Amino acid sequence: MIISYDQVTHFNTFGFLKLPELFTQEEMETITRESKEIMAEQIPDFDGTKTVGLPLFAERRPFLAQLVDDDRIHDIPERILGPDFVFTGSGGHFWVGDTPWHGGGHVKKWPIRQIKVSMYLEPLNADNGCLRVIPGSHRNDLRLIDSRWDQAPDYLEGLRESSSYHPDYRPFRVKPSEVPFVPLESQPGDVLVHTEDLLHASFGGPNGRYQVVFNFITNPRTDEQVHYLLERFYSGPELRPPESYVKSDRPRIRRMVSRMVEIGFKTAKL
């Protein structure tokens, strides 16, 4: 078991987890090599001068592709979201400069629970661009306590809006980089878990921060949940399960993508 009951409770309360040293240095060398190969292959003019992101990332290389079936990754959504969780694809990112505060579009109404399992390929701390989070910002506790508070204000809404990307924006009369936060400092081999509803950002980082992400959701069962997925993602590449997963000889991989096919998402020829 990778995460305990107490860690699941920590995640539900604060919106994040740090799992140190899940992968060895040798494994991280393989992950880094495959990640750089994918970037070079998919973006021929990639020169590391600007932020880029690619969907269907890990699915393109053998070691990365099997990580969703590795207990060190698989156990995380299974414990947090339940055994019938759904894999909605991976992503690869190369971050340049600051990433303003964002996250939390569904704090007042969560159609589907979601988590992001990620690893950074360079050592990161509070001074060089590690992930910053505001604990508990994924929750609207007044709404949870009493349904009469369904319209309770979100006092962090100013950080979730696009205005937070303006260079002169001053939430709470301070610079975005000065908003109180918890730094999720990490070394290669550590795994970070958070929900997109959690406010998160990165400041002060140098160019060249690689991130590999695995995305998971609860099994969408209601009409509202299915409609939400189809309306938001049907025409994009994000939730297209690769054919190699749909036809995989690994039962757990087939199971975690079968729901997306059942809903009607097209497969990707990978």
Side-chain angles (χ1 to χ4, degrees), residues 141-152:
D141 287 326
L142 289 174
R143 173 183 175 273
L144 294 175
I145 293 170
D146 191 325
S147 62
R148 291 173 296 180
W149 287 94
D150 279 350
Q151 301 304 314

Side-chain angles (χ1 to χ4, degrees), residues 193-225:
V193 189
H194 72 88
T195 167
E196 273 298 320
D197 284 337
L198 184 76
L199 275 164
H200 53 289
S202 174
F203 295 97
N207 296 349
R209 307 189 307 277
Y210 278 95
Q211 179 192 27
V212 179
V213 174
F214 300 90
N215 298 297
F216 304 93
I217 62 173
T218 54
N219 188 352
R221 296 185 177 279
T222 68
D223 290 343
E224 177 191 16
Q225 292 171 337

Side-chain angles (χ1 to χ4, degrees), residues 68-81:
V68 292
D69 196 35
D70 187 305
D71 286 342
R72 291 170 291 181
I73 297 296
H74 185 276
D75 188 58
I76 298 169
E78 184 175 53
R79 294 281 291 165
I80 294 176
L81 301 177

Side-chain angles (χ1 to χ4, degrees), residues 236-264:
E238 292 92 344
L239 303 191
R240 295 177 59 194
E243 290 184 357
S244 59
Y245 279 20
V246 175
K247 301 176 181 178
S248 174
D249 58 2
R250 298 186 179 213
R252 294 199 305 190
I253 289 181
R254 291 199 309 273
R255 187 214 60 76
M256 71 178 75
V257 298
S258 61
R259 180 62 172 145
M260 302 309 296
V261 176
E262 180 182 323
I263 289 173

Side-chain angles (χ1 to χ4, degrees), residues 101 132 134 156 158-159 163-164 166-181 203:
W101 290 105
R132 301 182 178 196
I134 299 179
L156 293 170
L159 291 182
S163 54
S164 65
H166 193 282
D168 297 325
Y169 183 57
R170 294 293 181 271
F172 316 113
R173 296 188 179 183
V174 299
K175 295 179 180 178
S177 60
E178 296 172 346
V179 170
F181 67 95
F203 295 97

Side-chain angles (χ1 to χ4, degrees), residues 11 51 145 161 191 193 203 220 228:
F11 178 87
T51 294
I145 293 170
E161 297 177 346
V191 169
V193 189
F203 295 97
Y228 168 80

Side-chain angles (χ1 to χ4, degrees), residues 3-265:
I3 61 175
S4 65
Y5 173 82
D6 287 341
Q7 287 174 308
V8 173
T9 301
H10 181 285
F11 178 87
N12 290 336
T13 303
F14 300 113
F16 67 91
L17 276 177
K18 176 181 174 180
L19 305 172
E21 300 180 349
L22 286 195
F23 291 90
T24 66
Q25 184 62 41
E26 182 179 6
E27 288 173 320
M28 292 309 300
E29 290 174 358
T30 300
I31 290 171
T32 299
R33 174 178 54 78
E34 291 191 344
S35 296
K36 291 182 177 181
E37 289 175 355
I38 297 168
M39 283 291 184
E41 175 184 274
Q42 297 299 308
I43 308 176
D45 60 349
F46 175 71
D47 59 6
T49 61
K50 61 182 180 180
T51 294
V52 297
L54 291 172
L56 292 169
F57 188 80
E59 295 88 332
R60 299 177 184 273
R61 284 297 186 277
F63 188 80
L64 283 168
Q66 58 82 36
L67 288 180
V68 292
D69 196 35
D70 187 305
D71 286 342
R72 291 170 291 181
I73 297 296
H74 185 276
D75 188 58
I76 298 169
E78 184 175 53
R79 294 281 291 165
I80 294 176
L81 301 177
D84 62 343
F85 71 87
V86 175
F87 175 60
T88 56
S90 71
H93 301 274
F94 184 84
W95 299 104
V96 173
D98 295 343
T99 304
W101 290 105
H102 62 289
H106 312 301
V107 166
K108 292 185 178 179
K109 185 179 182 181
W110 303 305
I112 301 175
R113 291 191 69 200
Q114 177 268 357
I115 65 170
K116 177 178 287 187
V117 177
S118 65
M119 57 183 74
Y120 289 87
L121 308 188
E122 296 83 22
L124 296 175
N125 57 44
D127 297 321
N128 74 349
C130 78
L131 187 68
R132 301 182 178 196
V133 299
I134 299 179
S137 57
H138 65 308
R139 301 168 64 95
N140 184 335
D141 287 326
L142 289 174
R143 173 183 175 273
L144 294 175
I145 293 170
D146 191 325
S147 62
R148 291 173 296 180
W149 287 94
D150 279 350
Q151 301 304 314
D154 173 16
Y155 293 106
L156 293 170
E157 186 172 4
L159 291 182
R160 308 185 199 279
E161 297 177 346
S162 58
S163 54
S164 65
Y165 286 73
H166 193 282
D168 297 325
Y169 183 57
R170 294 293 181 271
F172 316 113
R173 296 188 179 183
V174 299
K175 295 179 180 178
S177 60
E178 296 172 346
V179 170
F181 67 95
V182 168
L184 296 188
E185 299 183 341
S186 63
Q187 294 289 325
D190 296 348
V191 169
L192 305 180
V193 189
H194 72 88
T195 167
E196 273 298 320
D197 284 337
L198 184 76
L199 275 164
H200 53 289
S202 174
F203 295 97
N207 296 349
R209 307 189 307 277
Y210 278 95
Q211 179 192 27
V212 179
V213 174
F214 300 90
N215 298 297
F216 304 93
I217 62 173
T218 54
N219 188 352
R221 296 185 177 279
T222 68
D223 290 343
E224 177 191 16
Q225 292 171 337
V226 171
H227 178 74
Y228 168 80
L229 287 176
L230 291 173
E231 183 178 54
R232 184 171 181 182
F233 296 109
Y234 185 75
S235 61
E238 292 92 344
L239 303 191
R240 295 177 59 194
E243 290 184 357
S244 59
Y245 279 20
V246 175
K247 301 176 181 178
S248 174
D249 58 2
R250 298 186 179 213
R252 294 199 305 190
I253 289 181
R254 291 199 309 273
R255 187 214 60 76
M256 71 178 75
V257 298
S258 61
R259 180 62 172 145
M260 302 309 296
V261 176
E262 180 182 323
I263 289 173
F265 283 91

